[in-house]
Amino acid sequence: MNLLENEAKKMLSHSGIRVPKGYLVKDGAELEKALSHMMFPLMMKAQVPVGGRGKAGAVIKIMDRQQAIDGLSNLKGMNVRGFKVDSVLIEEFAPHDEEMYLAISIDRAAGMPNLICGKKGGMEVEVIGHGHIKQYPIDPLEGPDDGLTEKVMLDLGLTNAHLEMLSALISKLWSFYSNYDCELVEVNPLVLQHDGFVCLDAKVVIDDDSLFRHPELSYLKGRDKSPFEIECGKRDLTGVELAGEIGVIANGAGLTMAVLDELERIGLKGAAFIDLGGTDDPARIADAISMMRGGRWVPNIKGILICVFGGITRCEVVADGIISSLPNGPSNIPMIVRLRGVNELQGRSKLRGSGLDAYLDLEEACLALRSVIRGGT
């Protein structure tokens, strides 16, 4: 769950981390009210849950009232990497000489948190080269220690005079990261003023599955999800929308990923997938197929691939669910089934009796679907 910058800064501020004075603005009246409490120069930033706003022209410096009015007019309704701007954050400009980078994230390979820091921050942090970015593992039970803080101090080009302030900042970031079940807390840029560190921009990603532990964040639930993903949730299905052309229905996360990988290997991409888990309930299987058909929820689908491995799941019962979903008339979306496991022969026999191609081999099923939707290629 990606927080907007203003949401992240509000939470960081409540955790004792300094941020510039600012206001969320949605219209001219709110802008005038905010300006009455602020002094120029100001920064105006489009509020969208993605990075790259500076390069997209969605962050502007404001020198006077008219520039603020014009800036709000230009940014409102702007599209930034697929997200429409509904509000802006206007905040006081914080003078500074150097911009640094500081973050805590998950190192999935190591299975533990990682502190990431860099002497150079700001817009170009992703292109300055790995030599300027340092990463240190954090013991999740112990948290950052003094030795880690000293390393970060040197990496950021700071001196012992800043050690106490830096230690306090890292401690607060770690507490925030842990308390809110974050996947990422990123301060970029981080600047040093005469009286301490200031977070000029922040990105916070919270683990969706932890929201039940944070009732104060209940308003975030579902905000990052597409209409397809929201509808899947309502139907007690696990669905994810992607950007390709094939609808995938499979049972189990590992098998679902294997299907997506095989599709990509032969030049196809998933448009969406639904993970059935361990069910062979015909009604739920038919429900999943209905989510992929008709173009209402995922308009880009050109073909559907159903891949089921029957362990506890029985293939002939899965076949009943697939058959019950078939339209009365012809469908313009081809559907291919790969069925293997318990009672696979009965299941495949039922499908073929209903005019559906059923395969044992995943590669053969994927190639067959490609042939159908691309005319034999």
Side-chain angles (χ1 to χ4, degrees):
M1 180 63 60
N2 292 291
L3 301 190
L4 298 175
E5 178 190 359
N6 71 289
E7 295 168 338
K9 283 184 170 177
K10 183 177 181 179
M11 292 171 63
L12 288 169
S13 178
H14 288 166
S15 298
I17 297 170
R18 285 182 59 195
V19 301
K21 178 181 178 181
Y23 298 90
L24 185 68
V25 169
K26 297 182 179 179
D27 55 40
E30 291 181 351
L31 176 63
E32 293 293 349
K33 183 177 180 179
L35 293 178
S36 68
H37 297 289
M38 307 177 79
M39 296 184 62
F40 297 103
L42 305 171
M43 298 300 296
M44 183 177 287
K45 306 178 181 181
Q47 294 302 284
V48 288
V50 291
R53 293 175 300 165
K55 292 183 178 180
V59 177
I60 53 179
K61 191 171 184 178
I62 302 296
M63 302 305 295
D64 56 42
R65 178 177 172 275
Q66 188 58 50
Q67 281 190 357
I69 295 171
D70 294 341
L72 178 61
S73 176
N74 292 334
L75 292 181
K76 276 276 286 185
M78 182 179 183
N79 188 291
V80 180
R81 294 178 58 188
F83 290 89
K84 182 181 177 182
V85 178
D86 293 319
S87 60
V88 302
L89 175 64
I90 185 166
E91 59 186 18
E92 293 181 347
F93 177 76
H96 58 276
D97 296 322
E98 300 290 339
E99 296 183 342
M100 297 170 283
Y101 179 92
L102 188 62
I104 300 175
S105 71
I106 290 285
D107 183 341
R108 301 194 183 278
M112 59 196 308
N114 220 18
L115 188 144
I116 310 169
C117 63
K119 188 176 181 180
K120 300 292 183 182
M123 289 172 55
E124 302 301 324
V125 70
E126 295 183 1
V127 296
I128 59 175
H130 294 295
H132 295 274
I133 298 294
K134 298 296 178 66
Q135 302 186 43
Y136 300 101
I138 300 175
D139 186 322
L141 299 180
E142 299 294 334
D145 57 23
D146 292 341
L148 175 59
T149 302
E150 291 176 2
K151 292 176 182 177
V152 174
M153 177 192 73
L154 296 175
D155 291 335
L156 296 181
L158 303 174
T159 67
N160 286 328
H162 308 114
L163 184 60
E164 185 176 346
M165 289 190 299
L166 181 61
S167 178
L169 173 62
I170 292 175
S171 177
K172 290 173 183 176
L173 278 178
W174 172 248
S175 294
F176 183 95
Y177 176 90
S178 302
N179 292 339
Y180 284 105
D181 297 295
C182 295
E183 295 179 354
L184 172 69
V185 180
E186 178 185 80
V187 177
N188 180 40
L190 172 70
V191 301
L192 178 62
Q193 296 185 322
H194 70 280
D195 54 350
F197 292 101
V198 182
C199 164
L200 295 193
D201 198 355
K203 181 176 182 180
V204 171
V205 181
I206 294 175
D207 185 346
D208 293 18
D209 293 331
S210 76
L211 289 180
F212 74 95
R213 293 202 293 228
H214 306 287
E216 73 279 16
L217 301 178
S218 60
Y219 69 95
L220 295 173
K221 192 171 184 179
R223 188 176 68 182
D224 278 358
K225 297 183 181 294
S226 70
F228 168 79
E229 293 164 344
I230 293 172
E231 184 65 20
C232 281
K234 291 178 180 177
R235 302 187 189 200
D236 199 25
L237 296 168
T238 301
V240 175
E241 187 168 351
L242 304 170
E245 69 252 277
I246 306 300
V248 173
I249 299 172
N251 62 329
L255 183 57
T256 301
M257 295 300 103
V259 173
L260 292 171
D261 288 344
E262 182 62 23
L263 286 172
E264 185 155 0
R265 189 185 70 81
I266 66 168
L268 300 175
K269 290 183 179 294
F273 71 78
I274 292 177
D275 178 2
L276 296 171
T279 187
D280 58 7
D281 180 354
R284 282 172 56 79
I285 293 167
D287 207 20
I289 295 171
S290 73
M291 289 290 297
M292 296 292 189
R293 286 192 181 276
R296 177 183 178 186
W297 301 110
V298 190
N300 299 325
I301 287 181
K302 296 179 181 178
I304 298 172
L305 179 63
I306 301 174
C307 184
V308 171
F309 179 80
I312 298 174
T313 304
R314 294 175 298 163
C315 291
E316 86 282 10
V317 179
V318 171
D320 289 337
I322 295 172
I323 293 167
S324 71
S325 75
L326 296 177
N328 293 326
S331 172
N332 60 350
I333 300 180
M335 185 162 63
I336 299 291
V337 181
R338 184 260 188 167
L339 203 56
R340 188 157 201 163
V342 176
N343 297 338
E344 63 185 43
L345 294 179
Q346 297 96 309
R348 293 171 66 212
S349 177
K350 284 185 176 184
L351 292 173
R352 285 178 172 161
S354 297
L356 279 175
D357 288 326
Y359 296 83
L360 282 175
D361 184 75
L362 175 57
E363 181 183 15
E364 288 182 7
C366 292
L367 290 172
L369 183 58
R370 185 181 70 176
S371 178
V372 171
I373 66 175
R374 294 189 177 176
T377 59

